[in-house]
Amino acid sequence: MKHPLNGMRPSSLELITDRFNKDNCICSFQFGTVYRAVGEFSNLTVKVWDKADNCKIWPGDNEARVQDEYHLACDHRIMSHPNIAKFWGASWPDKRPTMVYELKALDTLDNLLEKDNFSWIHRVKVAYGLALAIECMHECKPIPYLIRNISAAHVMLDEDYNAKLYDFSMISGGILADKRELLNQHVHGCHGYIDPDYVENGKWSEKCDVFAYGVLLICLISKRNVLKEHEKTSDEPFLYEWAHAQYKGKKSGPRLNRQKFSLVHHSLEAEPFFCMKDGVTLTKLAIQCVDYDPQNRPTMKKVVASLWKLSMVQSSAGLFGLKNQSTVTNVVFSGLPRLSVMKSRVYSGTKRIAQKTLRKIPKRGNNLILTRNEELQCRVPSILSYYDLKACTDAFSNKNFIAIHQFGKLYHGTIGNEKVTVKIFKNVNTCPVMSGDNESRFRDELLVLQHPKFVSHPHIVKLMGYCYENGRLGAVYDLQSLNSLVNLISDDDFTWGRRLKFAFELADLLKYLHSCSPPYLLRNLYPINILVDKAYNPKLFNFGMLTGGVLNDKKQYFNLHGLHWMYYTDRHSNIHEYYTEASDVYSYGMVLLNLITKLTCSKGDDDYEDWVRQEYKAAESKGRRALKDFSLADGSFFGETDFDVVDGQKITMLAMRCIYRNCCCRPSIDQVVKCLKKLKIMKTVMQY
């Protein structure tokens, strides 16, 4: 049997699907098409990302989706669940990323909902199995998985009518990136299943999946299907609106018996296994799940507990292949708040919180203009071509070249009347680049730079636009950069006061990243990865080795082949590939030494780090007094009016503490910030 993480060739996929023959097509899902495999591979199902269901595919989107599913296969908490399709193989060439599942498919739930031979017992079995799968994903720690695009088209049934979740194109959390608060999300779930509260507030939660499950449960018991977007008119209610209207109509009737309210289709009521009590319970549960107030919706754990109490499940557990489970108290049946503005917003295209737009507008000649709406709040990155990047940098001319960074090159650029900084990914021999590495790094960068915690920080670059075109990757930042830090280390205009201000702001930025939960670890804090603006403020622009935060811990599922630069990463971390906040503190200490010594990686023929340590040991051997007066501040600073000898000594000792061999002896970045605040010059520095 093929391991799920083994790659597949496109020719192999054509073979097992008979060249993607239409006769083997099972259905369309949100972003493509699903096929049955044939011949000796008939126990497989092939999913191809090739188009989108009424939504625009941005460059790199489908590659990111298939890579997320590829990584998800490493989480055995998920892959061991019987109601989640097992990954068998994957392929993602540029134009047709594909995933293969170990699944002999009967059909999708979407195709079976209205059929008479899809019996009541089959429907309850599907509802229960699907609820178990979603509960399993929501229970993952420390961050729950959110599916975000639950729909009947994304549930496959095998030949025994077992439900199998097979599409995770919008997956968030778990070991993958946390996309709950990501700005500028241009896909909002599946039409007819989208939570109106998400539309109103722009934040995903487990209750969004509960809402979508409730819609699906209504489909199962009522034999109604969710209308496709092109089928729906402005007067046609959503399925959950129809269910609410039915409930309200019964509620206002003169002889309402709430204990008998049911949305079950009359043909299902005639089946031998049907029980009216179960029909009422499922109806109540469905209405609770699609409550317009997410606080009133049950958790998936409570949904599973309610389903376990069904008479059919209790009496026929063996038929369902289920085991005994503990139960919880009944879910409280809630009222129905008014839909008001939310209904119109769902139908009108799921408008979100006001965002600052950035659009590419053609102009005569080769110029490119990016315009803003100043009344809006968050800039939406523009999709640019590689030609656009060349145009704004004068064909990447030498006069616009800034520096080499870890994974490519930096250039000054001009777009309209705006000065910008352009980064391109290119093999510059600073570290080995494996196939797909830079694409993964770039997708991570696009994610973090559109997250509220990054957008709001003054020392992180602001993304204006990006290029993702046939292996050519680039980003445009709203930044008139002065230079890269590596080019300014020995610059006399970079005065002592400016350097201390720079060091403080960089430490404060690192403190901010480490304070997130889980903490962000940069792992590549080097002078070549830090830009300096016209006011000598640090601007972090390289996130190629970032881990933690919304990206979670990459070590669990994927290894990017990033080379940690000698001199800036402590040897213990390099050897054991174990990184903590103390690893970033070490890197910060080395950058701090660069700032005060006006040297980067070497002094003469000696290793820079060895030279620093030898100087320190020489002072230490002369006694406490000599160690107290020990300073590595360059002599050129002594003539500056804002230089203080004692500050130079304190900065030197702080840097030496940061690069202690024993990581347990290093200060935290919070302690570093506090030490910097106590310097005499700090009041003057903060006026720069």
Side-chain angles (χ1 to χ4, degrees):
M1 183 61 67
K2 191 177 185 68
H3 189 275
L5 295 186
N6 286 340
M8 298 189 66
R9 295 180 179 179
S11 57
S12 301
L13 296 171
E14 292 199 359
L15 175 66
I16 67 175
T17 59
D18 191 17
R19 297 183 180 275
F20 297 101
N21 193 311
K22 291 184 179 179
D23 293 337
N24 295 322
C25 177
I26 302 174
C27 67
S28 293
F29 72 104
Q30 190 178 13
F31 301 104
T33 312
V34 184
Y35 297 87
R36 288 186 177 88
V38 296
E40 61 179 304
F41 298 99
S42 60
N43 64 323
L44 303 178
T45 299
V46 179
K47 182 176 70 176
V48 182
W49 284 264
D50 55 9
K51 60 184 178 64
D53 181 12
N54 297 306
C55 65
K56 183 178 179 181
I57 298 178
W58 288 13
D61 277 1
N62 280 344
E63 289 81 1
R65 291 173 182 128
V66 70
Q67 191 175 56
D68 275 352
E69 291 204 21
Y70 184 87
H71 294 156
L72 186 64
C74 289
D75 194 337
H76 299 291
R77 297 173 298 179
I78 302 302
M79 290 301 100
S80 61
H81 198 281
N83 297 107
I84 293 177
K86 302 297 182 294
F87 296 115
W88 191 83
S91 169
W92 57 89
D94 291 341
K95 294 183 179 179
R96 213 169 195 186
T98 306
M99 186 69 70
V100 181
Y101 303 96
E102 185 183 342
L103 171 61
K104 192 169 186 178
L106 173 65
D107 212 334
T108 64
L109 181 57
D110 188 60
N111 292 337
L112 293 173
L113 280 171
E114 297 176 351
K115 293 186 177 181
D116 292 334
N117 60 352
F118 188 30
S119 68
W120 175 252
I121 194 167
H122 291 151
R123 292 168 189 264
V124 176
K125 184 177 182 179
V126 167
Y128 191 87
L130 183 59
L132 288 173
I134 302 171
E135 179 197 22
C136 173
M137 302 193 80
H138 286 188
E139 290 293 315
C140 286
K141 304 294 182 184
I143 301 174
Y145 283 105
L146 303 186
I147 304 167
R148 304 198 303 163
N149 68 341
I150 295 172
S151 76
H154 295 162
V155 180
M156 193 73 69
L157 273 63
D158 65 15
E159 294 182 327
D160 293 322
Y161 288 89
N162 296 303
K164 303 282 185 177
L165 266 175
Y166 75 90
D167 185 65
F168 306 94
S169 297
M170 291 183 62
I171 192 75
S172 167
I175 65 171
L176 305 173
D178 182 2
K179 303 171 187 174
R180 287 176 292 186
E181 297 184 32
L182 183 64
L183 301 175
N184 308 326
Q185 299 189 55
H186 53 285
V187 182
H188 305 281
C190 294
H191 182 77
Y193 295 85
I194 302 171
D195 179 5
D197 183 75
Y198 162 74
V199 177
E200 183 73 11
N201 298 310
K203 291 185 178 181
W204 294 94
S205 72
E206 295 94 314
K207 294 301 180 71
C208 297
D209 282 354
V210 172
F211 185 92
Y213 175 83
V215 175
L216 202 149
L217 190 54
I218 294 171
C219 294
L220 284 166
I221 63 178
S222 67
K223 293 181 75 170
R224 290 172 174 260
N225 216 330
V226 173
L227 291 177
K228 304 295 187 292
E229 190 168 2
H230 66 276
E231 299 173 341
K232 191 178 182 300
T233 66
S234 57
D235 298 327
E236 189 78 26
F238 286 107
L239 186 61
Y240 58 83
E241 293 174 331
W242 167 81
H244 286 322
Q246 293 292 310
Y247 171 74
K248 289 181 180 179
K250 295 289 185 181
K251 186 177 180 181
S252 60
R255 296 181 179 179
L256 172 67
N257 184 346
R258 290 177 58 180
Q259 300 304 316
K260 293 185 179 180
F261 171 61
S262 172
L263 293 174
V264 177
H265 192 272
H266 62 84
S267 65
L268 296 173
E269 293 179 348
E271 293 192 13
F273 284 99
F274 178 78
C275 168
M276 179 58 71
K277 181 181 177 182
D278 287 352
V280 171
T281 299
L282 288 172
T283 298
K284 287 183 177 182
L285 184 61
I287 293 293
Q288 289 172 324
C289 290
V290 297
D291 196 309
Y292 296 125
D293 184 354
Q295 298 299 321
N296 293 331
R297 298 173 200 160
T299 63
M300 286 308 302
K301 186 173 184 179
K302 290 185 177 181
V303 169
V304 169
S306 295
L307 293 172
W308 175 251
K309 293 179 179 179
L310 294 174
S311 299
M312 178 184 295
V313 176
Q314 290 290 318
S315 61
S316 308
L319 184 63
F320 281 77
L322 306 175
K323 297 179 180 179
N324 291 330
Q325 293 188 1
S326 59
T327 58
V328 296
T329 55
N330 287 330
V331 185
V332 178
F333 192 70
S334 62
L336 300 175
R338 294 181 179 179
L339 181 58
S340 62
V341 181
M342 286 190 277
K343 173 181 174 181
S344 62
R345 287 192 177 181
V346 174
Y347 182 73
S348 63
T350 61
K351 295 179 181 178
R352 294 208 44 204
I353 302 173
Q355 299 172 345
K356 180 176 289 185
T357 59
L358 179 67
R359 304 182 300 278
K360 185 173 75 170
I361 299 179
K363 188 183 178 183
R364 292 181 182 178
N366 296 327
N367 295 326
L368 177 71
I369 295 180
L370 300 177
T371 62
R372 304 173 187 163
N373 182 344
E374 299 298 339
E375 296 179 358
L376 302 179
Q377 295 178 359
C378 178
R379 172 173 284 186
V380 179
S382 177
I383 299 174
L384 307 175
S385 67
Y386 196 71
Y387 176 82
D388 295 330
L389 300 185
K390 290 181 67 176
C392 72
T393 58
D394 192 17
F396 304 113
S397 65
N398 288 333
K399 68 177 183 180
N400 284 322
F401 176 73
I402 301 174
I404 289 176
H405 67 88
Q406 190 179 12
F407 305 111
K409 295 182 178 180
L410 290 166
Y411 293 88
H412 296 295
T414 304
I415 297 181
N417 296 322
E418 293 190 71
K419 299 295 183 182
V420 299
T421 299
V422 178
K423 179 177 78 174
I424 62 170
F425 284 81
K426 189 174 184 179
N427 190 357
V428 290
N429 298 319
T430 57
C431 67
V433 178
M434 302 295 189
S435 176
D437 278 2
N438 280 343
E439 286 79 3
S440 294
R441 295 182 180 110
F442 194 41
R443 286 192 290 265
D444 283 349
E445 176 174 324
L446 295 179
L447 192 150
V448 297
L449 288 183
Q450 294 182 77
H451 193 276
K453 288 186 177 180
F454 277 70
V455 167
S456 61
H457 202 285
H459 299 304
I460 294 175
V461 291
K462 304 297 183 289
L463 182 67
M464 291 179 68
Y466 69 94
C467 169
Y468 196 115
E469 181 181 274
N470 299 325
R472 293 172 169 177
L473 309 175
V476 177
Y477 304 124
D478 186 4
L479 171 64
Q480 187 177 4
S481 54
L482 176 64
N483 213 321
S484 171
L485 177 60
V486 71
N487 293 335
L488 293 174
I489 290 296
S490 60
D491 193 334
D492 290 337
D493 290 335
F494 197 7
T495 63
W496 178 258
R498 285 171 172 168
R499 290 170 190 253
L500 266 290
K501 174 176 176 287
F502 187 96
F504 174 78
E505 291 174 341
L506 184 60
D508 200 48
L509 169 59
L510 205 55
K511 175 184 174 182
Y512 178 79
L513 296 175
H514 287 183
S515 67
C516 295
S517 181
Y520 286 100
L521 302 181
L522 286 174
R523 303 195 297 167
N524 63 350
L525 186 63
Y526 323 136
I528 67 166
N529 289 336
I530 305 170
L531 280 168
V532 184
D533 68 12
K534 295 288 185 177
Y536 288 90
N537 298 306
K539 295 287 184 177
L540 196 62
F541 73 92
N542 194 314
F543 308 95
M545 295 180 65
L546 187 70
T547 184
V550 298
L551 297 178
N552 296 320
D553 188 355
K554 296 179 185 178
K555 289 184 292 186
Q556 295 186 50
Y557 63 93
F558 196 60
N559 180 31
L560 294 179
H561 306 274
L563 179 66
H564 304 278
W565 278 33
M566 193 182 299
Y567 316 114
Y568 292 96
T569 305
D570 63 290
R571 295 170 186 175
H572 183 272
S573 292
N574 259 343
I575 293 171
H576 300 284
E577 293 190 1
Y578 180 75
Y579 301 91
T580 65
E581 293 92 321
S583 305
D584 279 353
V585 170
Y586 184 98
S587 302
Y588 175 82
M590 294 302 297
V591 173
L592 189 55
L593 286 169
N594 295 155
L595 288 169
I596 65 175
T597 62
K598 286 193 173 184
L599 298 170
T600 51
C601 61
S602 65
K603 177 181 172 60
D605 296 328
D606 296 325
D607 178 87
Y608 179 75
E609 182 187 356
D610 288 343
W611 170 75
V612 167
R613 295 188 187 280
Q614 287 169 11
E615 291 291 311
Y616 178 80
K617 286 182 180 179
E620 188 178 35
S621 65
K622 294 178 182 179
R624 183 177 299 178
R625 178 68 180 177
L627 191 60
K628 182 179 179 181
D629 295 337
F630 176 61
S631 174
L632 290 174
D634 187 75
S636 63
F637 293 126
F638 284 66
E640 295 183 13
T641 56
D642 53 7
F643 178 77
D644 182 85
V645 175
V646 176
D647 279 352
Q649 295 164 355
K650 290 181 177 179
I651 285 287
T652 300
M653 294 308 297
L654 176 62
M656 296 306 299
R657 289 173 58 204
C658 289
I659 65 168
Y660 275 155
R661 293 290 192 198
N662 187 344
C663 62
C664 297
C665 296
R666 296 172 201 159
S668 68
I669 197 63
D670 185 50
Q671 291 171 328
V672 170
V673 170
K674 289 178 180 178
C675 287
L676 291 172
K677 283 182 178 180
K678 294 178 181 179
L679 297 176
K680 293 179 182 179
I681 195 176
M682 198 50 62
K683 290 183 179 179
T684 305
V685 161
M686 300 314 294
Q687 296 175 5
Y688 276 85

